[in-house]
């Protein structure tokens, strides 16, 4: 029996942090067990804001190396670069011709940029249409995304339903969002949401020494070594949870409550748990990151697989609209 397809796009914006890993990358990779996954680097979307050519290229390679190091299976699954499939911009135009301008005026990203008087280029305004093209061009059944993408998914569904209403109920697959509610927001060093905009991140792939140094900077309250501590109120413990078994968590929670353990020791335990899960992947990441030809090879393979699907859908779409 063939599996349902899950597709998502990731903008190339630098090496990810533990919040990205736990909130997006790890769940996406787990979907390989149950779905036919299509993951792509959304470089056309990044162009709405990125103005540095070298940066766009480097960040693209960062992401390929991250997915390879974390064990994406490029034979069974499909990993590609958005801009390698020219049909997506053609399709975006076709979809834009049936999308009401008012729909795009309600988009959060556009409204935000406008209210902050940031640059609003046409690409940013049309961002949701290109995203709909990304999703609909590959007959995606599910789209795993964070809550912040909910509106974009609703727009994609609106656009797909309108298209099918106009041109035939079976032309486009109408996708469902797969919103990862189960992963809570991961706190950063200062207890706020971990985010590159807040400068409070623990990098996913940095040399072990640097990861340890970041972990040692996690903010805590000022209770002394002997005091009893509450694991549920502690940023260290919130992160520890995501890297350990229930048993390990119970053991450390007990030590928090009993007193006699300082936060430095809890940080060391967190560091060791992170190392256990990610140490090997980090080595692989640094090795791959030095091999641009290998990374290009991965992208080429993905391009060929993605393009086969795109061409089929393109044919269906063009014949349904009379082109
Ligand atoms: P940042 O906030 O660092 O700019 P992005 O907005 O680029 O991160 O997020 C990329 C993906 O990682 C999204 O799917 C988002 O839901 C997830 N993510 C980012 N930060 C966190 C966090 N602190 N906790 C859980 N998931 C997160
Ligand atoms: N807009 C998404 C983000 O900012 C990235 C993205 C582009 C995407 N195209 C997509 C996500 C298609 C899911 C499906 O994170």
């Amino acid at each position: 029996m063939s599996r349902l397809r899950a597709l998502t796009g990731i903008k190339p914006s630098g090496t990810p942090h533990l919040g990205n890993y736990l909130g997006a990358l790890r769940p996406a990779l787990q979907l390989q067990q149950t779905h036919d996954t299509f993951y792509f680097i959304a470089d056309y979307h990044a162009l709405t804001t990125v103005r540095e050519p070298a940066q766009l290229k480097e960040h693209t390679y960062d992401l390929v190396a991250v997915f390879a190091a974390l064990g994406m299976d490029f034979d069974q699954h499909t990993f590609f670069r958005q801009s390698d499939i020219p049909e997506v911009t053609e399709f975006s135009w076709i979809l834009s011709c049936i999308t009401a301008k008012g729909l795009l005026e309600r988009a959060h990203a556009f409204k935000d940029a406008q209210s902050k008087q940031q640059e609003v280029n046409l690409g940013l305004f049309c961002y949701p249409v290109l995203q709909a093209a990304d999703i609909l061009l590959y007959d995606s059944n599910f789209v795993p995304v964070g809550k912040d993408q909910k509106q974009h998914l609703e727009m994609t569904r609106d656009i797909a339903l309108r298209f099918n209403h106009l041109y035939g109920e079976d032309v486009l697959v109408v996708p469902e969002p797969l919103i990862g509610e189960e992963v809570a927001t991961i706190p950063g060093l200062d207890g706020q949401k971990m985010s590159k905009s807040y400068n409070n991140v623990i990098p996913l792939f940095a040399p072990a020494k640097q990861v340890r140094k970041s972990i040692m900077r996690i903010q805590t309250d000022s209770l002394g070594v002997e005091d009893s501590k509450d694991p549920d109120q502690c940023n260290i413990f919130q992160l520890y949870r995501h890297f350990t078994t229930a048993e390990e968590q119970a053991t450390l929670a007990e030590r928090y409550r009993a007193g006699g353990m300082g936060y430095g020791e809890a940080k060391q335990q967190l560091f060791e748990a992170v190392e256990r899960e990610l140490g090997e992947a980090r080595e692989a990441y640094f090795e791959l990151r030095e091999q641009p030809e290998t990374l290009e090879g991965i992208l080429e393979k993905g391009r060929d697989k993605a393009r086969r699907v795109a061409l089929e859908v393109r044919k269906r779409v063009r014949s349904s609209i009379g082109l």
Side-chain angles (χ1 to χ4, degrees), residues 274-287:
V274 171
E275 278 303 287
R276 180 176 71 189
E277 179 157 334
L278 293 170
E280 228 173 86
R282 177 199 312 120
E283 297 308 314
Y285 171 80
F286 283 121
E287 233 173 80

Side-chain angles (χ1 to χ4, degrees), residues 10-11 13 17-25 145-149 183-188 192-197 201:
I10 308 107
K11 273 200 279 185
S13 50
H17 51 72
L18 289 189
N20 300 140
Y21 172 66
L22 296 170
L25 298 170
V145 280
K147 286 190 202 121
D148 59 321
Q149 294 297 312
V183 179
T185 301
I186 308 299
Q192 290 191 80
K193 175 188 174 203
M194 188 181 291
S195 167
K196 45 184 180 311
S197 351
V201 309

Side-chain angles (χ1 to χ4, degrees), residues 24 30 91 96 186 188 228-229:
Q30 279 163 355
F91 192 31
S96 72
I186 308 299
S228 163
K229 303 176 179 67

Side-chain angles (χ1 to χ4, degrees), residues 176-194:
E176 301 280 344
L178 208 61
I179 300 202
E181 303 284 356
E182 72 284 2
V183 179
T185 301
I186 308 299
L189 299 177
D190 54 1
Q192 290 191 80
K193 175 188 174 203
M194 188 181 291

Side-chain angles (χ1 to χ4, degrees), residues 21-139:
Y21 172 66
L22 296 170
L25 298 170
R26 191 168 74 176
L29 287 157
Q30 279 163 355
L31 280 180
Q32 290 185 111
Q33 316 289 333
T34 47
H35 292 72
D36 170 25
T37 65
F38 267 52
Y39 295 151
F40 68 91
I41 301 174
D43 55 350
Y44 274 155
H45 277 112
L47 268 186
T48 60
T49 53
V50 177
R51 297 284 176 256
E52 283 297 324
Q55 200 187 351
L56 192 59
K57 187 149 218 134
E58 292 305 309
H59 286 169
T60 296
Y61 286 157
D62 288 342
L63 269 185
V64 190
V66 164
F67 274 82
L70 291 175
M72 177 143 190
D73 179 342
F74 301 116
D75 292 321
Q76 297 298 320
H77 297 270
T78 306
F79 186 85
F80 63 104
R81 174 163 53 196
Q82 183 183 31
S83 64
D84 278 342
I85 313 294
E87 288 73 21
V88 79
T89 49
E90 176 194 32
F91 192 31
S92 182
W93 173 257
I94 292 172
L95 295 178
S96 72
C97 294
I98 59 144
T99 303
K101 178 165 156 272
L103 183 78
L104 298 181
E105 278 163 349
R106 288 194 290 277
H108 301 313
F110 160 67
K111 285 203 302 194
D112 260 19
Q114 202 175 39
S115 71
K116 290 184 193 144
Q117 315 216 320
Q118 288 166 351
E119 175 184 329
V120 179
N121 50 58
L122 273 183
L124 183 74
F125 184 68
C126 299
Y127 188 114
V129 182
L130 180 59
Q131 183 158 346
D134 287 331
I135 296 169
L136 303 173
L137 187 59
Y138 302 99
D139 280 345

